[in-house]
Amino acid sequence: YLPLFCGLVGTGVQLIMMVYCTTLLSIVGTLYIGRGSVSTTAVVVYALSSFVGGYFSGSIYVQSKGNAWKKTMLVTAGAFTGVGILG
């Protein structure tokens, strides 16, 4: 269960960073130019923050002395998007 736990933690960090950056950009006032700019920015920031989610899930997995790091990265990459596609 360790790869699943680490993957979900990494995905959570990625979502928190996406919400924080999107909120910060909308407070600054750069997002209300055109229609759909907030959702487009959220998708772009989610894709760019995948590095942060992968780093956090990998670091937790290594600290827990796990061996199947590839499985953890796949869980991190597909946890939120898989639920979104299936739901």
Side-chain angles (χ1 to χ4, degrees):
Y1 296 108
L2 183 62
L4 179 64
F5 172 72
C6 295
L8 291 177
V9 169
T11 303
V13 169
Q14 185 175 357
L15 289 174
I16 289 170
M17 186 171 176
M18 179 197 69
V19 169
Y20 177 74
C21 289
T22 305
T23 305
L24 187 66
L25 286 172
S26 59
I27 287 172
V28 170
T30 60
L31 290 183
Y32 295 108
I33 297 170
R35 183 175 179 172
S37 60
V38 175
S39 56
T40 302
T41 303
V43 169
V44 169
V45 170
Y46 178 78
L48 293 176
S49 65
S50 64
F51 298 109
V52 176
Y55 175 78
F56 270 91
S57 67
S59 67
I60 291 172
Y61 192 72
V62 167
Q63 289 174 2
S64 301
K65 297 183 179 30
N67 293 329
W69 62 271
K70 292 178 185 177
K71 185 176 180 181
T72 304
M73 292 302 127
L74 289 174
V75 169
T76 304
F80 182 70
T81 54
V83 171
I85 289 172
L86 294 176

